[in-house]
Amino acid sequence: MPQFATYPSLAGKSVLVTGGASGIGAQIVRAFAAQGSKVGFLDVDTAGSTALADELNGEGAAVGFELCDLRDIEATKGAIAALATRYGPATVLVNNAARDDRHGWETVTPDYFDERIATNLKHMFFAIQAVAPGMIAAGGGAIVNMGSNSWWEAGGGMPAYTTAKAAVHGMTRSFARDLGPHRIRVNTVVPGWIMTDRQKELWVTEAAIAKHRDRQCLKDLIEPAYVARMVLFLASDDAAMCTANNYMVEAGSI
Ligand SMILES: NC(=O)c1ccc[n+]([C@@H]2O[C@H](COP(=O)([O-])OP(=O)(O)OC[C@H]3O[C@@H](n4cnc5c(N)ncnc54)[C@H](O)[C@@H]3O)[C@@H](O)[C@H]2O)c1
């Protein structure tokens, strides 16, 4: 039976996760809670957020959330500040939220393009801006931005999403440079095709799975927990000299 790591450096840490109510984000919230971290998350999903926080708090965890639409930067900053008063300033930030809605390149309007950037990129930048002063004051921190292998694979059918996701990688490297002198590490985790409820509802078919297994060196499907384990490592002191890089969790999807 597989056994997974416990990181003493994560116990008691104040952790902020965006998009924590479902999918990979929910698994990240669970994973930090299991390490004894204090976890605040942001989401628009009232029912999902409440159910997750109630479940984990019922098990003795310290998990709370603020409802906010991350496309609204002022609301996002307010929600981050509210969580900081409850759990202390975050010294771990996981910029996870995004939406991989499909769209044809011919139909993208300037407004839709802006909406895709707001959903998939802009809040990540401003969340970093909001938490960095607290991390500097604390003497360091760890930021994990969720990228995607969709654009590495030259995936089509959602070019405004993949454009935003590609930019996440550049954002990571620039912030790693600017924040590195403060011992703040900034990395990108790059998921392959992860079997979240949303993926299962919208895109998983037998044919798509067969094609994907062909592509992956490892043939098992990738559950959200595998991504969460990589995030834990990067957030922990065990990753003290890891920054500015991409950490793939894609089963060798070439
Ligand atoms: N699932 C995959 O196969 C896959 C592959 C590559 C990259 N990723 C990346 O992993 C991350 C998580 O993806 P996921 O598959 O778990 O997504 P998901 O749709 O399952 O969950 C995303 C969560 O973010 C929340 N959210 C979305 N937009 C929001 C907004 N404007 N304001 C507040 N909350 C919002 C949703 O309510 C949801 O709880 C994303 O950055 C995604 O791009 C996922």
Side-chain angles (χ1 to χ4, degrees):
M1 189 170 140
Q3 295 198 319
F4 301 107
T6 299
Y7 297 97
S9 61
L10 295 179
K13 275 260 161 78
S14 174
V15 176
L16 173 63
V17 181
T18 67
S22 64
I24 295 169
Q27 203 57 45
I28 292 168
V29 169
R30 288 176 188 282
F32 278 106
Q35 298 285 331
S37 308
K38 296 174 282 183
V39 193
F41 69 91
L42 306 179
D43 212 290
V44 272
D45 174 0
T46 311
S49 299
T50 307
L52 181 63
D54 286 354
E55 178 199 326
L56 295 175
N57 289 329
E59 294 164 3
V63 173
F65 63 90
E66 287 286 319
L67 293 171
C68 86
D69 187 333
L70 292 155
R71 293 172 298 181
D72 179 340
I73 298 301
E74 287 313 309
T76 299
K77 286 183 186 172
I80 291 172
L83 288 172
T85 59
R86 243 181 285 167
Y87 300 121
T91 50
V92 175
L93 165 67
V94 185
N95 269 324
N96 164 74
R99 270 180 77 91
D100 61 351
D101 296 339
R102 304 310 197 245
H103 47 271
W105 60 268
E106 316 89 324
T107 61
V108 173
T109 61
D111 282 348
Y112 186 66
F113 186 87
D114 287 347
E115 191 281 330
R116 293 289 74 205
I117 297 296
T119 297
N120 296 308
L121 175 68
K122 189 175 175 184
H123 58 86
M124 295 191 179
F125 185 103
F126 287 99
I128 294 172
Q129 190 188 63
V131 301
M135 292 184 179
I136 292 169
I143 296 169
V144 175
N145 300 318
M146 210 54 75
S148 175
N149 75 336
S150 49
W151 65 274
W152 290 81
E153 292 181 341
M158 45 181 174
Y161 168 83
T162 47
T163 298
K165 279 290 167 186
V168 169
H169 295 246
M171 183 182 70
T172 288
R173 290 179 72 81
S174 292
F175 270 113
R177 178 65 70 190
D178 285 344
L179 299 179
H182 303 287
R183 292 204 175 82
I184 299 170
R185 299 180 292 101
V186 190
N187 288 294
T188 306
V189 165
V190 188
W193 196 15
I194 311 301
M195 296 295 115
T196 59
D197 289 345
R198 176 176 156 87
Q199 298 299 312
K200 288 178 191 165
E201 277 158 28
L202 294 178
W203 325 116
V204 169
T205 61
E206 263 182 45
I209 292 284
K211 201 169 152 194
H212 214 77
R213 279 192 209 273
D214 260 3
R215 205 172 204 167
Q216 289 183 187
C217 297
L218 299 168
K219 301 302 176 186
D220 292 330
L221 298 177
I222 313 173
E223 298 300 327
Y226 290 97
V227 182
R229 286 184 202 122
M230 178 64 87
V231 172
L232 288 184
F233 166 70
L234 289 171
S236 76
D237 289 356
D238 295 58
M241 281 296 126
C242 300
T243 196
N245 272 303
N246 302 309
Y247 292 83
M248 319 287 287
V249 186
E250 33 74 280
S253 186
I254 315 290

